Amino acid sequence: MSTAHEVMAADTAEHNWSADPYADALQAGHGPLFLRRGDGWLLPLDVERWCAPADAVDLRILDRCEGAVLDVGCGPGRLVAELAARGRTALGIDISEAAIAHTLRLGGQALWRSVFEPLPGEGRWNTALLLDENLGIGGDPHALLRRLAELLLPGGLLIAETVPVDVDERIDVHIVRGADAPGTAGAPLFPWARLGTPALLRYARPLGWCAVDQWAAGGRCFVALRSRSTSSSAEPPKSTAVISSQRARKPSPDRPVAEG
C-alpha cells in the first residue's frame, strides 16, 4: 500500500510534467511530444533531433549563413552552439526558459524572449534562421515575415524550413507528451501555422522578400530568401560582448539568465 508521502510525490511529479511537457522533454532529451489540435490531430515534435548535436543537414544550412546569425525559436540550442564553436556571432531566442537554459549550457548565447519583443541588434542581423517548425510561430506568417524584415539588414538572408507538402494552415494547438497523456486536456492553446514552400512564397513576395534558393535534404524542405534592399549605413553586430550583455529573462530585459 502506498504511503501518503509516495502518493504526494507521484502527484507532484505528474503536475510538474503536465505543467510544462516541453521542458520535461528537453531535460529527458526525447519525446514523445506532440502539437495537438482540438479535434485530436497530432503533429509529432522531433525532440531527439533537436537535443542532438547539429547533423549533416544542419551543418549545410549553417554553411550558408552570412555574418551575425539570429536563430528564432532556437529550442535547446544545437545550431547556436555549433555557430559559437565556429567562432561565429550568433544569438538564439526562445519563449521557453528551459530551452534557453539548455542553450547556455551548450555554450551558445541566448535570450528568453519572443521574436515580437525588443531584441538586440534590430535591423543589423545578417542572417535569420526559422527552422524546426518555427515558421508557425504566432500563427500569422505575414506578421512573422514582416518582423524578420525589421530585424535583418536590408538585403539580409532568411533561411526557413517549410512543410514538405503544399499546405497553408492556421490552427490553435497545445503541447502534449502523448496522444492520451493525462493532465494535458487543460493545457493552454496557442496559435500556430503550417506552410509549404508555395504558401511561404505567397506570403513573402508582397512584403519584398525575394526567394534565392529552394532545396530538400534529409526529408526536410528549405527556402532561402532575401529581404528588401535599401540603402543603410548600419553595421551588423560584431561582438559577442554585445550579445552576452543582453542575456535576459523575458520579464526583465536587462537581468541575466546565467552568468557568462
Side-chain angles (χ1 to χ4, degrees):
M1 183 175 179
S2 298
T3 65
H5 182 270
E6 289 170 336
V7 171
M8 182 178 296
D11 287 345
T12 300
E14 176 60 37
H15 173 74
N16 288 343
W17 179 274
S18 299
D20 194 347
Y22 180 67
D24 287 315
L26 294 190
Q27 182 176 3
H30 61 80
L33 198 69
F34 303 88
L35 290 182
R36 184 172 188 172
R37 199 165 58 190
D39 62 5
W41 170 93
L42 293 171
L43 174 67
L45 300 178
D46 199 352
V47 177
E48 290 82 358
R49 179 170 61 80
W50 298 348
C51 289
D55 62 20
V57 175
D58 296 327
L59 296 178
R60 288 196 290 271
I61 292 169
L62 299 185
D63 288 342
R64 292 171 174 260
C65 292
E66 302 169 355
V69 181
L70 181 67
D71 186 4
V72 178
C74 65
R78 74 188 190 283
L79 302 177
V80 177
E82 174 62 27
L83 286 166
R86 297 182 180 193
R88 299 286 299 276
T89 298
L91 175 69
I93 59 170
D94 205 291
I95 61 170
S96 165
E97 186 177 13
I100 295 305
H102 196 286
T103 302
L104 295 174
R105 285 196 297 271
L106 292 180
Q109 304 283 348
L111 283 176
W112 182 21
R113 200 170 299 176
S114 163
V115 66
F116 296 105
E117 294 180 292
L119 294 171
E122 295 208 11
R124 295 182 286 131
W125 294 96
N126 300 94
T127 302
L129 299 176
L130 205 57
L131 307 176
D132 301 336
E133 311 289 344
N134 285 320
L135 194 52
I137 288 173
D140 186 343
H142 183 273
L144 182 58
L145 290 168
R146 185 173 54 198
R147 175 60 175 149
L148 289 169
E150 295 172 350
L151 294 171
L152 288 169
L153 278 167
L157 180 67
L158 168 63
I159 301 177
E161 183 171 354
T162 58
V163 178
V165 294
D166 187 5
V167 62
D168 182 357
E169 183 177 43
R170 262 70 65 78
I171 51 180
D172 289 327
V173 297
H174 57 263
I175 296 177
V176 299
R177 61 184 172 96
D180 301 307
T184 57
L189 288 167
F190 55 91
W192 200 251
R194 298 178 68 238
L195 300 182
T197 295
L200 171 59
L201 297 179
R202 286 195 297 270
Y203 286 106
R205 289 183 183 121
L207 295 172
W209 292 95
C210 176
V212 293
D213 200 3
Q214 301 176 37
W215 71 99
R220 301 163 65 191
C221 294
F222 306 94
V223 180
L225 306 105
R226 288 205 180 274
S227 62
R228 189 190 307 273
S229 295
T230 58
S231 60
S232 173
S233 59
E235 292 293 326
K238 294 179 180 178
S239 169
T240 54
V242 173
I243 294 175
S244 62
S245 68
Q246 294 290 331
R247 289 181 182 176
R249 292 182 181 272
K250 187 177 177 185
S252 178
D254 298 314
R255 188 175 59 197
V257 169
E259 297 299 327

